Amino acid sequence: MPVWLDHASILVPDLTAAVDHLDRRLGLRATVSPAAPTRHSRVHLHRSYLEVSAGSRDGRWHPTMFFLRFDDPDALRAHLETTSIEYRWSEYQGVDGTWDDVELRIGAVPLPTLIRRTAPSDVARDWPPALGEPHRCGARTLAAVHVEVPSVGEALEAYGRLLGRQPERPVRGPAHVSLVTGEVVLHEDRGGRISGIVLGVSSLDQTRDALRAPLVETRDGVAWTDPEGVFGVRLGFAEVALAG
């Protein structure tokens, strides 16, 4: 079942302050939605984005959800019925459009929502759009979302049912579930939350120069910012090829 990593949502206390911080400290340009200028914005990447919205009440930033995009509703319905995956299909009315919104349930595994923009039709045909003007930090695409799950084995079985193929289980460490674009990285932890967001760049050296801030690189090639610089969000950068 082909699905793409579409976007991840982050709640912030104050949108205006967050948009300024994203630009000034992280080199990310957020576009405020005209229909909700104090509540909603997007950091557009290549056919993916970060959704940054007002709503946090504790002064911190919180990644709350992530979404996978599908392109064929009839094929998706048939697939979900064939695999006996529990789902709820609804229409979501956002601040500037309408989406098919498919919530999934496979046991207790934290799963993304599947979405497809349907209106306005002229926007939906090419949504999310291709990357326009590059970001100062070099961010080009949404490369990965790291998620805590109670059991990596159960989560891999769930993603296998969803995708129609069984992802490989590592001997140790997190499991990587590859999508058409981007990936989901599963960590065994009962926190059940998004533990990290990775943006794809063409050069980590250029990103370091642009940010002028220390980045801690891990063995998987991700260079992570200091979470305190993103008010608690674990944000990383990794070198990736730009997919179509």
Side-chain angles (χ1 to χ4, degrees), residues 142-197:
L142 181 57
V145 174
H146 289 241
V147 185
E148 295 175 354
V149 295
S151 166
V152 167
E154 290 181 7
L156 286 174
E157 289 180 8
Y159 276 92
R161 289 175 62 186
L162 173 61
L163 300 176
R165 55 177 171 82
Q166 193 59 46
E168 182 178 350
R169 180 167 187 173
V171 176
R172 62 176 64 86
H176 294 250
V177 179
S178 297
L179 310 172
V180 177
T181 58
E183 65 176 2
V184 181
V185 185
L186 305 171
H187 300 260
E188 194 151 302
D189 191 297
R190 296 192 178 277
R193 64 187 181 92
I194 296 176
S195 59
I197 296 172

Side-chain angles (χ1 to χ4, degrees), residues 13-201:
D14 180 271
L15 185 62
T16 301
V19 168
D20 176 70
H21 186 83
L22 286 166
D23 181 41
R24 181 168 41 85
R25 292 289 301 274
L26 298 169
L28 293 169
R29 183 184 62 262
T31 301
V32 174
S33 301
T38 63
R39 296 187 292 107
H40 187 267
S41 70
R42 295 184 181 96
V43 176
H44 285 286
L45 302 159
H46 183 69
R47 303 202 180 281
S48 56
Y49 59 95
L50 295 179
E51 181 180 52
V52 182
S53 305
S56 171
R57 300 182 182 278
D58 63 359
R60 309 288 282 174
W61 292 17
H62 298 281
T64 55
M65 300 177 68
F66 71 104
F67 301 80
L68 307 185
R69 182 173 72 256
F70 66 94
D71 64 354
D72 188 332
D74 293 333
L76 177 61
R77 285 183 187 274
H79 175 71
L80 295 176
E81 294 291 345
T82 300
T83 55
S84 300
I85 296 175
E86 293 184 48
Y87 68 94
R88 186 177 72 87
W89 196 301
S90 61
E91 184 177 88
Y92 174 73
Q93 184 65 50
V95 299
D96 55 6
T98 306
W99 280 257
D100 281 337
D101 189 274
V102 186
E103 297 178 15
L104 306 172
R105 183 174 180 181
I106 304 177
V109 176
L111 291 170
T113 298
L114 304 184
I115 59 169
R116 181 180 72 105
R117 189 164 190 173
T118 58
S121 59
D122 58 331
V123 176
R125 278 194 298 269
D126 192 36
W127 185 263
L131 180 66
E133 183 182 350
H135 293 277
R136 194 172 73 253
C137 66
R140 309 165 79 209
T141 189
L142 181 57
V145 174
H146 289 241
V147 185
E148 295 175 354
V149 295
S151 166
V152 167
E154 290 181 7
L156 286 174
E157 289 180 8
Y159 276 92
R161 289 175 62 186
L162 173 61
L163 300 176
R165 55 177 171 82
Q166 193 59 46
E168 182 178 350
R169 180 167 187 173
V171 176
R172 62 176 64 86
H176 294 250
V177 179
S178 297
L179 310 172
V180 177
T181 58
E183 65 176 2
V184 181
V185 185
L186 305 171
H187 300 260
E188 194 151 302
D189 191 297
R190 296 192 178 277
R193 64 187 181 92
I194 296 176
S195 59
I197 296 172
V198 181
L199 305 182
V201 301

